[in-house]
Amino acid sequence: MSDRLSLLLDSLHCRGRLYELFSQIEKEFEALYTENIALKDKIDVLNEQLEREPATVIERTDTFESGETTAVKTKGKRESITASQLSQKIKSTYKLKASTSRIVSTFKTPSLACRLFKEYVGHRDGVWEVSCSRHGPQLIATASADYTAKIWDIHSGGCIVQYWGHKGSVNSVRFHPSQDLVVSSSGDQTAHVWSVSSTGNVSDNLKYHSSEEEVELSEEDHGDDTESSHNIAILKNAKIELQGHIGVVIAADWLAGGDQVITASWDRTANVYDVQTGELVTQLVGHDQELTNTCTHPTQRLVVTSSKDTTFRLWDFRDAIHSVSVFQGHTNPVTSATFASGDKVVSGSDDRTVKVWDLKNMRSPLTTIRLDSPVNRLAVSNQNIIAIPHDNRHVRLFDLNGVRLARLPRSNRQGHRRMVCSVAWSDEGRNLFSCGFDRLVFGWRVTFPNKDDTKLSITKAGKE
């Protein structure tokens, strides 16, 4: 008996010691992670400073000034040169590089100017998706892991409607193309269609109350919420509940015309529902692993579904019998695929690439953009600017040819603090919205520089 007790005590002591060691290792990893983040911030600041500094041409002189001599060892021989000569040689080495950079900079596409204009605060957990209204007042919708979806006024930053109908994380939310309807998808294996009155009228299942009635946010969670001066409509009942999946519904969107909704699920299928009846119209089968997103064409009955099986599929519903095309080219899960003008599709992946495809040629991409971090739910503007959200807290902007246009400002004072999950463009393409796992939603103003100023700077550079 005593031997067993002794063994038990030894086992408990070893287990306690292991827990202690694991705790120390975890703390060391956290410290290294924090240090790594700080170093990345410093590197970003230095890169931004270098980008802002104008290239200068260093004139080379044939005569060297006399100065202090310096001894340099080379292969056992001692060569005596002056410090000023060494300095001049270093300057001469950079002359060609500086001159070339200056010439090349005159041919660069004008960068986009990006500035933060609004912050939307109120979610209590990570925000998975943000989307923009397609008609009427300018609104954005957000889907969060806190089981809610919110509708926000773009300009005031206030929350207008809060939807509490789901019993799980809300993974996506999309506006109807022409009506005051929204479809949201959730981890509760359903998608909900609910009505939002943009005029402020209260429907039967809407209840208005002051945001002060809600649980107060801590200072860390931005307790100075701009919602405090607004009334919020609490919506708890869906107009239509779409059922049929046996896994998480990761995304849902409206087909062109708005009479049908497509859902994408972790059960490896996509379902098409009739919005009026809520009945399942057809089930799309073919992906080998969980779906990650779905997106519809704005004017044609075309749908793309992306998956962890490293592919995305194009489903064509324009004919009575739908057809499907498989796009292969990524080496890791495809996190999103969306349509761009000119019969193009842009896909993003965990393999740290974004690819631009022509719908008429699915064998190889037109453009491949290589990046330094996995890509989340990207968006393409009407001006064909690709906004790419990353795991590393950055959002980068490219054109369809793969030319980098800008990066959204990010520092300790502004920008996302954790993974950026999704981005969305407003219809006019001037406003970009981003959301992240840090519970934050930002509105960014994106503008092109003055074309006349660009031409003037090119002319001046050519004369110098």
Side-chain angles (χ1 to χ4, degrees):
M1 186 69 179
S2 60
D3 292 339
R4 290 183 180 180
L5 182 60
S6 176
L7 289 174
L8 180 61
L9 291 175
D10 290 341
S11 176
L12 292 175
H13 175 73
C14 291
R15 183 178 297 180
R17 180 58 178 166
L18 284 174
Y19 283 145
E20 182 182 353
L21 291 174
F22 279 126
S23 177
Q24 292 177 2
I25 292 172
E26 185 179 3
K27 289 180 180 179
E28 290 182 5
F29 272 115
E30 289 179 354
L32 289 173
Y33 177 77
T34 304
E35 183 180 357
N36 188 30
I37 293 297
L39 290 174
K40 284 185 177 180
D41 290 338
K42 290 180 181 179
I43 292 173
D44 292 337
V45 171
L46 291 175
N47 286 333
E48 290 175 0
Q49 290 177 354
L50 289 174
E51 290 176 358
R52 288 195 297 267
E53 290 180 359
T56 57
V57 180
I58 303 172
E59 298 295 337
R60 180 178 179 179
T61 58
D62 293 329
T63 59
F64 299 128
E65 296 178 0
S66 61
E68 183 182 354
T69 59
T70 304
V72 181
K73 275 188 179 180
T74 57
K75 294 183 181 180
K77 297 180 181 179
R78 298 180 63 87
E79 181 181 355
S80 180
I81 59 174
T82 65
S84 61
Q85 287 176 336
L86 182 61
S87 175
Q88 288 293 340
K89 285 184 179 181
I90 293 173
K91 291 181 181 179
S92 300
T93 303
Y94 284 100
K95 176 182 176 181
L96 180 60
K97 182 178 179 180
S99 301
T100 305
S101 299
R102 183 165 188 157
I103 295 171
V104 171
S105 65
T106 62
F107 296 98
K108 285 184 179 180
T109 304
S111 298
L112 297 176
C114 310
R115 65 176 179 87
L116 179 67
F117 76 88
K118 189 63 66 176
E119 183 175 350
Y120 307 87
V121 180
H123 281 296
R124 294 174 176 80
D125 208 335
V127 185
W128 296 123
E129 186 173 87
V130 58
S131 63
C132 294
S133 59
R134 307 186 195 181
H135 77 287
Q138 292 185 319
L139 306 172
I140 61 170
T142 54
S144 173
D146 64 9
Y147 291 22
T148 70
K150 293 176 181 283
I151 309 295
W152 310 79
D153 181 273
I154 287 179
H155 301 292
S156 70
C159 178
I160 300 173
V161 177
Q162 183 169 276
Y163 182 68
W164 278 97
H166 284 292
K167 298 178 181 179
S169 170
V170 185
N171 302 317
S172 77
V173 58
R174 315 275 172 91
F175 286 95
H176 191 281
S178 59
Q179 300 179 30
D180 292 331
L181 295 174
V182 174
V183 61
S184 56
S185 65
S186 172
D188 62 13
Q189 303 182 3
T190 68
H192 292 181
V193 176
W194 36 285
S195 177
V196 178
S197 177
S198 60
T199 59
N201 297 327
V202 183
S203 62
D204 293 338
N205 54 1
L206 281 176
K207 182 184 74 172
Y208 276 85
H209 75 106
S210 172
S211 61
E212 295 177 356
E213 298 175 18
E214 295 183 349
V215 179
E216 293 183 1
L217 296 173
S218 65
E219 184 177 353
E220 182 180 357
D221 292 338
H222 301 275
D224 54 344
D225 195 341
T226 55
E227 293 178 3
S228 59
S229 60
H230 296 271
N231 285 334
I232 305 173
I234 301 298
L235 179 62
K236 296 183 178 180
N237 299 318
K239 182 178 180 181
I240 296 289
E241 184 172 328
L242 306 176
Q243 299 179 345
H245 286 292
I246 57 174
V248 169
V249 182
I250 198 65
D253 205 355
W254 304 88
L255 269 73
D259 57 336
Q260 293 180 334
V261 163
I262 183 168
T263 57
S265 172
W266 283 5
D267 62 13
R268 306 183 184 182
T269 68
N271 290 349
V272 178
Y273 296 90
D274 183 280
V275 175
Q276 295 298 323
T277 64
E279 295 180 355
L280 177 64
V281 176
T282 184
Q283 188 173 63
L284 309 179
V285 180
H287 283 291
D288 295 330
Q289 295 185 34
E290 295 94 330
L291 274 65
T292 57
N293 197 15
T294 183
C295 185
T296 60
H297 194 282
T299 59
Q300 303 182 55
R301 295 181 68 81
L302 298 172
V303 175
V304 285
T305 55
S306 52
S307 170
K308 291 184 180 180
D309 62 11
T310 73
T311 72
F312 71 92
R313 293 177 177 240
L314 171 69
W315 308 84
D316 191 342
F317 294 97
R318 291 176 293 186
D319 297 327
I321 301 177
H322 73 264
S323 61
V324 60
S325 302
V326 182
F327 289 75
Q328 298 175 328
H330 290 288
T331 57
N332 279 322
V334 181
T335 53
S336 66
T338 187
F339 292 94
S341 63
D343 292 332
K344 293 181 176 61
V345 172
V346 181
S347 60
S349 170
D350 281 342
D351 64 10
R352 303 183 180 185
T353 66
V354 168
K355 297 179 183 290
V356 181
W357 308 77
D358 190 332
L359 293 181
K360 299 175 183 177
N361 177 21
M362 61 181 185
R363 294 184 178 179
S364 60
L366 300 175
T367 304
T368 297
I369 303 171
R370 303 191 183 280
L371 303 155
D372 61 352
S373 180
V375 177
N376 297 312
R377 292 186 179 178
L378 52 77
V380 183
S381 72
N382 293 336
Q383 288 77 28
N384 286 327
I385 300 174
I386 310 171
I388 306 172
H390 291 286
D391 278 3
N392 65 0
R393 305 172 295 159
H394 287 294
V395 177
R396 294 182 173 90
L397 307 182
F398 288 80
D399 65 15
L400 293 182
N401 294 320
V403 177
R404 178 176 169 176
L405 302 177
R407 184 185 67 195
L408 295 188
R410 209 208 68 76
S411 64
N412 293 330
R413 296 183 179 180
Q414 65 175 340
H416 288 283
R417 303 168 188 171
R418 299 182 70 180
M419 173 180 68
V420 187
C421 301
S422 170
V423 289
W425 290 96
S426 60
D427 284 342
E428 74 277 6
R430 296 178 182 176
N431 297 329
L432 176 65
F433 301 91
S434 63
C435 65
F437 204 62
D438 53 9
R439 313 179 186 182
L440 301 176
V441 182
F442 294 120
W444 307 88
R445 194 85 69 202
V446 181
T447 57
F448 283 96
N450 188 289
K451 293 183 178 180
D452 295 334
D453 293 343
T454 304
K455 292 180 180 179
L456 181 61
S457 63
I458 293 175
T459 303
K460 288 182 177 179
K463 291 182 179 179
E464 291 178 358

